[in-house]
Amino acid sequence: MSSSTGTASPTLRSVTIPYADLKNKDADLSAKIEEGFGPNGLGILSISDVPEFSSLRQNLLHLSPRLANLPQKVKDELEDPHSRYNFGWSHGKEKLESGKPDLLKGSFYANPILDVPTTDMFLKQRYPSYCSSNIWPDSALPELETALKALGKLMHDVGLMVAYHCDQYVSKGMEVDQNESLKQILLRSRCHKGRLLYYFPAPRSDCVPDSDSVSSWCGWHTDHGSLTGLTCAMFKRDGVEIPCPDSTAGLYIKTRTDQIVKVVFGEGEIAYQIGETTEILSRGYLCATPHSVQAPKGEEVSGVDRSTFALFMQPDWDERLNFPKDMHIHKDVSSPCFKFCNFQSTLHI
């Protein structure tokens, strides 16, 4: 990884794999997978030159401010309290590290693969964060559905290719049952979740609280799922796209040695991060890392908004996960086999 030290924390470039190499099943990408996802990696790598990605990213992220600025009555109709606001519009429902409601950003959640994951009412009631149906602003912003599904489906398909090469790498160190491989677990899942995020602009007199903190926009966390796909953020002022106004803003990751580093990847690349479920199932061959997002600060921040999209790829709600017996497991897990649905969704980026 290339690095620079012009900021308080070193800035590292993510490990990058060209799409042409990724789609080649005969290519041995183990060295790249290990460098990005392995025990000494940052838990992130990016895929470059994905066909149509740049245009699909632009299409969706340009809709983010329009969605956030719809009339409040329309946004209220897009909320789904039963799913714990894990479908449709959500604003002010999450809390910052300080315990205060997070009013800095709004989110729109949807399953880009299945509008209706299940029609079983028992499952809908028991697992509403995963089994509920999508809610779309059909009249107020009809193009949102097409744009989110198109980008989400592409990131899902590329994510499955990443998962395939992860399986190839892991299989060199441990036996992998093909039916329980990362790719197969994700391929049969019905509960992948897309999250379109919009960070509201703040006037200079109302700057972001704790803006000097590297977790000022999103607190420290480790993704609980399998694989998270990320787009590079889009910044705008008065509706016009601009570069990020603060070079210190962005994604920060805590390394294995507890060093905090800023990680960057290209605007035309899809980044993927490993989640805790994958780390456990792979016996640590693939590793998740704590990460946060720092807000921009300074005079140039006034009136600037930020849009981005994340795809959380995770096992199905009734997927039976067989944990390795020789792997340390969190204390709250009492059996080497358990259902993924015991987790509650905490989707952040």
Side-chain angles (χ1 to χ4, degrees):
M1 299 180 190
S2 60
S3 66
S4 64
T5 55
T7 61
S9 296
T11 297
L12 303 182
R13 183 70 165 78
S14 64
V15 173
T16 304
I17 298 175
Y19 178 76
D21 293 344
L22 186 75
K23 70 177 183 179
N24 181 4
K25 288 190 173 183
D26 294 327
D28 185 358
L29 302 181
S30 296
K32 288 284 190 179
I33 296 294
E34 181 174 16
E35 186 181 0
F37 290 158
N40 296 313
L42 294 174
I44 186 171
L45 58 75
S46 57
I47 309 301
S48 63
D49 305 316
V50 178
E52 299 186 34
F53 169 70
S54 291
S55 61
L56 294 180
R57 170 186 170 272
Q58 289 275 333
N59 290 345
L60 179 60
L61 297 192
H62 279 304
L63 295 176
S64 184
R66 292 177 57 190
L67 172 67
N69 288 291
L70 288 174
Q72 189 58 49
K73 181 180 179 181
V74 174
K75 290 187 288 188
D76 289 344
E77 293 173 351
L78 295 173
E79 290 185 344
D80 184 14
H82 179 64
S83 71
R84 304 182 185 95
Y85 300 95
N86 276 300
F87 282 87
W89 175 252
S90 173
H91 181 221
K93 310 305 178 184
E94 299 176 30
K95 292 185 178 181
L96 298 169
E97 288 180 338
S98 64
K100 297 179 180 179
D102 183 1
L103 300 176
L104 302 174
K105 61 180 176 285
S107 301
F108 185 85
Y109 295 98
N111 183 332
I113 311 302
L114 295 170
D115 271 320
V116 183
T118 180
T119 57
D120 188 320
M121 293 307 298
F122 172 77
L123 292 175
K124 285 175 174 285
Q125 290 296 322
R126 187 174 184 184
Y127 311 124
S129 298
Y130 302 105
C131 298
S132 298
S133 300
N134 286 335
I135 305 171
W136 300 107
D138 296 324
S139 299
L141 195 62
E143 54 266 58
L144 177 64
E145 178 178 356
T146 300
L148 192 149
K149 286 181 175 179
L151 180 58
K153 178 67 163 57
L154 177 65
M155 292 172 65
H156 169 267
D157 292 347
V158 175
L160 291 178
M161 296 180 190
V162 172
Y164 168 82
H165 287 285
C166 285
D167 291 329
Q168 300 304 109
Y169 162 67
V170 172
S171 67
K172 293 185 176 183
M174 60 176 274
E175 185 176 350
V176 177
D177 184 329
Q178 286 308 303
N179 193 50
E180 297 179 355
S181 67
L182 177 59
K183 180 181 178 180
Q184 288 304 313
I185 287 174
L186 296 180
L187 188 61
R188 57 179 174 256
S189 175
R190 294 164 288 178
C191 62
H192 303 305
K193 187 69 65 68
R195 184 184 186 184
L196 178 63
L197 294 108
Y198 179 73
Y199 293 76
F200 292 91
R204 187 70 186 94
S205 59
D206 185 26
C207 60
V208 176
D210 302 320
S211 60
D212 289 331
S213 167
V214 294
S215 59
S216 53
W217 246 351
C218 181
W220 285 103
H221 66 284
T222 304
D223 293 349
H224 74 259
S226 299
L227 196 63
T228 302
L230 308 171
T231 69
C232 194
M234 175 186 289
F235 293 85
K236 288 185 177 183
R237 178 186 282 119
D238 299 325
V240 178
E241 187 174 352
I242 62 171
C244 178
D246 179 5
S247 62
T248 65
L251 176 66
Y252 283 78
I253 288 176
K254 185 174 292 187
T255 69
R256 309 292 172 212
T257 58
D258 289 330
Q259 182 186 21
I260 295 175
V261 300
K262 184 175 185 287
V263 179
V264 298
F265 55 94
E267 183 177 293
E269 298 172 0
I270 309 175
Y272 290 91
Q273 288 183 285
I274 290 293
E276 289 179 312
T277 300
T278 294
E279 176 171 356
I280 294 172
L281 293 176
S282 71
R283 298 183 187 174
Y285 281 97
L286 304 169
C287 295
T289 49
H291 51 279
S292 67
V293 180
Q294 177 171 311
K297 54 186 182 291
E299 295 181 1
E300 297 300 317
V301 171
S302 178
V304 175
D305 62 26
R306 176 185 187 261
S307 300
T308 189
F309 179 74
L311 177 67
F312 300 91
M313 301 178 69
Q314 51 201 3
D316 208 30
W317 56 81
D318 63 357
E319 180 75 41
R320 194 167 188 83
L321 302 178
N322 295 308
F323 279 9
K325 294 180 180 179
D326 58 349
M327 180 69 185
H328 173 73
I329 300 175
H330 296 102
K331 293 179 180 179
D332 57 335
V333 178
S334 58
S335 169
C337 298
F338 75 102
K339 301 275 185 151
F340 179 78
C341 52
N342 288 334
F343 286 112
Q344 292 301 316
S345 184
T346 54
L347 309 181
H348 300 288
I349 186 62

